[in-house]
Amino acid sequence: MGNTYQQTRFLLGTPDTRRAPPDTGVEVAFAGRSNAGKSSALNTITGQRSLARISKAPGRTREINFFEVTEGRRLVDLPGYGYAKVSKSVKQDWQKNIARYLERRQSLCGVILLMDVRHPLKDHDRQVLAWCRAADLPTHVLLTKADKLKRGPAKAALLKTARELATLHPAATLQLFSSHTGEGTETVQQQLDDWLGYSAEYEES
């Protein structure tokens, strides 16, 4: 199953949704606060060390980056949001761009929302969940950096987030994830398989 994602390659990066690849096929977007671990998660899921660049400085990904898994199937890395050291106008531009992309992109079939397990459901996360719910977009939440907490506190954070999620976006699903240990990688790959249509192909073959 994971082998499919090892083929993933960078297509293009653009700060403007109007320069995105043609709106055909299917794609899954990765959204999250700056420093939530999006780049690390993408690298872990695809089994590639440097597919997405990991920066020590949060807020470096200012473009929407498109990656092709196989023809007509893409993963999309959205700019991180909520980073304090960025000017207000830049923040507003990011938010407008992300909102426009989530609401209008026809090929978008699901959103992976990443949140640090130690600080879940900040205001911007709630905003993205509201956009996803309004656009009727399937959403799967990764509570990242699960290795930073012991098993008990990590489970408690999962349950607390699940309770809030039931109100914010009742159809959304949730799991623990660690790019450091690989915990939860197979679960999120299975979710991607379902959304991108690989699951049906595996069953047929």
Side-chain angles (χ1 to χ4, degrees), residues 50-160:
S50 54
L51 179 74
R53 280 176 309 202
I54 298 168
S55 171
K56 289 277 185 272
R60 286 296 291 277
T61 308
R62 299 194 182 183
E63 295 191 325
I64 299 177
N65 288 312
F66 292 83
F67 301 91
E68 186 173 69
V69 186
T70 53
E71 195 175 345
R73 287 151 162 163
R74 295 174 298 276
L75 303 178
V76 184
D77 187 9
L78 297 178
Y81 49 77
Y83 185 54
K85 286 190 182 174
V86 175
S87 72
K88 202 169 178 184
S89 64
V90 169
K91 272 187 196 168
Q92 285 168 342
D93 276 353
W94 285 2
Q95 281 177 283
K96 245 185 275 177
N97 233 349
I98 293 172
R100 187 190 300 132
Y101 171 79
L102 293 175
E103 288 162 4
R104 299 185 187 172
R105 188 78 171 163
Q106 295 298 306
S107 52
L108 183 61
C109 62
V111 173
I112 302 283
L113 177 58
L114 297 91
M115 299 187 272
D116 187 322
V117 69
R118 299 163 297 179
H119 320 287
L121 292 173
K122 299 286 191 189
D123 289 345
H124 285 92
D125 300 322
R126 293 168 189 276
Q127 181 68 69
V128 171
L129 283 164
W131 285 330
C132 290
R133 185 177 181 179
D136 208 17
L137 271 171
T139 308
H140 185 66
V141 176
L142 294 190
L143 290 182
T144 62
K145 308 187 184 185
D147 56 285
K148 302 281 188 191
L149 293 179
K150 288 197 163 73
R151 178 58 54 190
K155 271 283 185 325
L158 185 74
L159 291 169
K160 186 174 186 290

Side-chain angles (χ1 to χ4, degrees), residues 145-188:
K145 308 187 184 185
D147 56 285
K148 302 281 188 191
L149 293 179
K150 288 197 163 73
R151 178 58 54 190
K155 271 283 185 325
L158 185 74
L159 291 169
K160 186 174 186 290
T161 308
R163 279 197 295 272
E164 277 205 67
L165 209 53
T167 309
L168 296 166
H169 190 341
T173 48
L174 174 71
Q175 69 166 99
L176 291 169
F177 179 84
S178 167
S179 51
H180 182 65
T181 64
E183 177 186 356
T185 302
E186 202 166 303
T187 306
V188 66

